[in-house]
Amino acid sequence: MGIYQQLGLKQVINASGKMTALGASAVHPSIAKAMGEAAMDYVEISELMIVAGRHIAEATGAEDGCPTSGAAAGIAISVAAVIAGCHLSLIERLPFSEGMKNKIIIQKGHAVHFGASVQQMIALGGGKVVEVGHANHVEADHLREAIDDQTAALLYVKSHHAIQKGMQSLDTMIQLGREFGLPVIVDAAAEEDLRRYVAMGADLVIYSGGKAIGGPTSGFIAGRADLVAACRAQYKGVGRAMKVGKEAIAGLLAALGQYDPEKQNVTEQRRRVEWLAGELDRLPGVKARIAQDEAGREIYRVQVQLDKRVTGMTAHELTRQLEQGNPAIFTRNHYVNTGVIAFDPRPFHEGQEHIIAARMKELLQKQGEGE
């Protein structure tokens, strides 16, 4: 019996992805061991932060790094850093930034909700959000004309949540940043390539520790040494409310140390999705296909379209029944309103695709029999 079942909770099969709502990643035993050892000893946190920054820099190719409690905290801390720098009197004023250079420019299609809103994370860091362009169309002039003497930074969101068409590229944002002498912040929370955006010239890049790299709930910021120093300084201000513990830092560094984006076992993931797609496509009223991640990552999922006339239930009703079972099965349901759900193989434990196929067959058979 697992720890959560000992607490009286249902077993969860995560077919949604590395989602915060389901605990992000199930860490490797070596990462859990590092966290356990860290929990049983003491360390000077300020020194740990500096050393962690060196490890983050080595993993990302950045000048320095700063651990955070998560990617959302990374947004707030990065924004606070570009507004207040290392000036303690300003740090202690945030998030109240009246009279300070505090505007953060973001493309309208990047002003997304990921469980909370990007705009709120910016505001927590003292930023005044300036959304430019339209939800599906932004031109470089929209960005350029929004920049004024109160602009503190440009923020680019690289995410499957963001609109993927009609937005200006990160290259354009970086060029504008250089043109106007403004830092460019990249929210790359779930991205797998830890070096790409630093190499492109982004000034601060934010990652989740619990997503692609498979670490504990945590995050980190990589980038320019002066701005990263300002990020660390925010732990004397708004960062205090989102501080990261020694255990999470130890687990994060262990995950970074063994992370290799070239060894993410895509072959095994494809095997699982091909098998599951074949099983589900045989069910009446179900069309199953393999689909690549919306943001272009090397992630493949089973995408299922339901024909309500045959299945007798909507995709929303099906996901609800899957979640109410024991084990509870959570799907990736960003498009459930269109009748589409998806199954992400990355979080599966051994053989869980077979449980999913059997449960889907059971539910649709019951519905067909009028139960």
Side-chain angles (χ1 to χ4, degrees), residues 167-324:
M167 298 298 104
Q168 289 297 305
S169 69
L170 177 56
D171 277 326
T172 298
M173 297 280 276
I174 290 172
Q175 289 169 14
L176 286 170
R178 299 295 177 266
E179 180 182 338
F180 289 92
L182 294 169
V184 175
I185 303 169
V186 178
D187 172 14
E191 289 297 291
E192 298 174 323
D193 191 334
L194 304 185
R195 292 179 169 268
R196 177 182 179 187
Y197 305 110
V198 168
M200 288 177 67
D203 299 285
L204 290 174
V205 186
I206 303 154
Y207 291 95
S208 169
K211 299 292 177 64
I213 71 170
T217 298
S218 59
F220 59 96
I221 305 164
R224 268 172 40 193
D226 60 328
L227 291 178
V228 171
C231 288
R232 283 194 296 269
Q234 305 313 308
Y235 283 107
K236 292 184 177 181
V238 294
R240 180 71 177 187
M242 52 192 81
K243 63 186 178 184
V244 56
K246 59 187 180 182
E247 305 86 355
I249 295 175
L252 170 64
L253 297 185
L256 277 174
Q258 65 187 45
Y259 177 65
D260 184 348
E262 301 299 321
K263 296 180 180 178
Q264 295 307 297
N265 206 359
V266 175
T267 301
E268 175 62 15
Q269 292 175 24
R270 283 298 299 259
R271 184 196 66 77
R272 284 178 161 176
V273 295
E274 286 170 2
W275 182 88
L276 186 56
E279 291 295 306
L280 299 184
D281 199 54
R282 296 189 184 100
L283 299 176
V286 175
K287 290 184 178 179
R289 68 181 186 91
I290 298 173
Q292 188 174 0
D293 177 69
E294 305 97 315
R297 295 174 294 173
E298 192 73 6
I299 299 169
Y300 297 91
R301 305 183 179 98
V302 180
Q303 191 174 87
V304 170
Q305 176 85 49
L306 291 188
D307 184 343
K308 183 185 176 182
R309 296 168 300 179
V310 179
T311 62
M313 70 171 78
T314 65
H316 187 270
E317 291 166 340
L318 175 61
T319 59
R320 187 173 66 249
Q321 291 193 44
L322 287 169
E323 291 171 9
Q324 290 173 347

Side-chain angles (χ1 to χ4, degrees), residues 19 158-162 164 190 293-295 297 332 334-335:
M19 310 297 285
K158 177 62 178 173
S159 169
H160 64 276
H161 293 296
Q164 302 299 319
D293 177 69
E294 305 97 315
R297 295 174 294 173
R332 192 175 186 85
H334 300 313
Y335 300 102

